[in-house]
Amino acid sequence: MSYILLILSVLLGAILVFIIKPSTKIVRLLLAFSGSYLLSVTVLHLLPDVYTINSDATIVGVFILIGIILQSVLESFSKGAEHGHIHMHTDGKKFPTLLFVSLCLHAFSEGLPIHYADDNLLWAIIVHKIPIAIVLTTFLLHTNYPKKTIFLFLTFFAFMSPLGILLGDKIPFFTIYTTEITALIIGVFLHISTIILFESTENHKFNLQKFIAILLGVLLTIFTL
C-alpha cells in the first residue's frame, strides 16, 4: 500500500498542475505545511527511535551530520528541487541529467527508513512529495522537453521511493546498518525541512497563513504520537 501511495502522491502533484495550476502562494503554503510536518516527524519520531536503538549517541550524531552534508552536495546538482525551488535555466535541448540523478537519489533515500518507521514518516513523505511534484512538473512544462521525456522523468521519480522501501527491506546491507542509514536520512530531512521553512517566507516577513500551515504540521504530528 505504501508503494501505491508514494507513486500516487507524485501523480497527484502532476495532475494538479495540469488541472488547476496552483498559484505560487498555494505552493508555498503546501511547502510550509509539508516542511513543518516532515521536520516534526523527524524530531518527534525518528530522532527518539534512532537514539533508543543505538546507545552510541556519537555515532548517531555523526551520521546525522553526514546526512546534512550529503544533502547539501546533492542540492548543488538538483538546484533546490527537493525543497520546492528549482534555480535552473534551460533551453530544453540538453536533458538535466544531474538534476534527474540527484532527485532520484533523494527520493530513493527517503524510502529506505519507511519500512522500519511508523506511518507518520510515510505520510510526511507523501505530503512532502505533492508540492515537490507540482514544482517539478511546472518546471518541466516550461522547458522544451518532449511530453514523453517529461512523463518518463516523473514516472521514474515516482518509483524511486518505493524502490527504496523494497531494497531497504531486502538488501542485507540496508538491514544490517538500519540505524546508521536512518540517522543519515534524518540529517537529510533536517536539512530539507528547515530550508523549506526558511525559503517559503518572502522577504522574511511574518506571514499568518504560513504560520498557520506550519502550526498545523506540528499539531498533526503531536496528535498522532
Side-chain angles (χ1 to χ4, degrees):
M1 187 63 178
S2 56
Y3 302 132
I4 297 174
L5 290 173
L6 287 167
I7 293 171
L8 288 178
S9 64
V10 176
L11 180 62
L12 175 60
I15 290 175
L16 287 174
V17 174
F18 285 101
I19 296 178
I20 64 175
K21 297 181 180 179
S23 65
T24 301
K25 181 179 179 181
I26 295 298
V27 174
R28 283 180 176 173
L29 289 176
L30 286 173
L31 283 168
F33 174 75
S34 68
S36 171
Y37 189 21
L38 184 61
L39 179 61
S40 300
V41 169
T42 301
V43 172
L44 296 177
H45 289 273
L46 291 183
L47 271 174
D49 289 347
V50 78
Y51 275 108
T52 300
I53 295 172
N54 193 324
S55 58
D56 193 338
T58 302
I59 293 296
V60 173
V62 167
F63 274 94
I64 291 175
L65 291 174
I66 291 174
I68 294 174
I69 295 171
L70 176 63
Q71 180 55 37
S72 298
V73 174
L74 286 176
E75 194 172 286
S76 66
F77 299 115
S78 66
K79 308 303 178 183
E82 298 95 332
H83 49 82
H85 300 276
I86 302 181
H87 308 291
M88 179 179 181
H89 300 284
T90 178
D91 57 7
K93 295 179 181 179
K94 185 178 180 181
F95 186 76
T97 304
L98 290 177
L99 170 66
F100 177 72
V101 172
S102 57
L103 269 180
C104 287
L105 284 174
H106 167 70
F108 174 79
S109 67
E110 283 181 333
L112 290 174
I114 288 180
H115 185 78
Y116 302 97
D118 55 33
D119 289 341
N120 286 282
L121 177 59
L122 172 63
W123 286 108
I125 293 176
I126 289 171
V127 171
H128 169 62
K129 280 186 176 297
I130 294 173
I132 300 305
I134 291 174
V135 172
L136 182 59
T137 304
T138 302
F139 165 75
L140 292 173
L141 288 176
H142 280 83
T143 66
N144 294 321
Y145 303 130
K147 291 292 192 298
K148 182 180 179 181
T149 301
I150 295 175
F151 176 76
L152 289 175
F153 191 116
L154 292 172
T155 300
F156 204 89
F157 173 67
F159 275 87
M160 290 309 295
S161 289
L163 180 63
I165 299 176
L166 179 64
L167 297 185
D169 183 42
K170 302 298 183 182
I171 302 298
F173 174 81
F174 293 127
T175 57
I176 293 172
Y177 297 102
T178 300
T179 303
E180 291 81 0
I181 291 173
T182 301
L184 188 145
I185 303 305
I186 286 173
V188 172
F189 287 162
L190 287 175
H191 184 285
I192 292 172
S193 57
T194 51
I195 292 295
I196 287 175
L197 296 183
F198 290 142
E199 286 200 350
S200 60
T201 300
E202 190 173 359
N203 299 323
H204 300 282
K205 295 180 180 179
F206 178 77
N207 185 307
L208 180 60
Q209 291 178 322
K210 177 197 169 184
F211 177 76
I212 293 174
I214 293 173
L215 186 60
L216 287 174
V218 174
L219 292 176
L220 178 60
T221 310
I222 293 175
F223 289 145
T224 54
L225 281 174

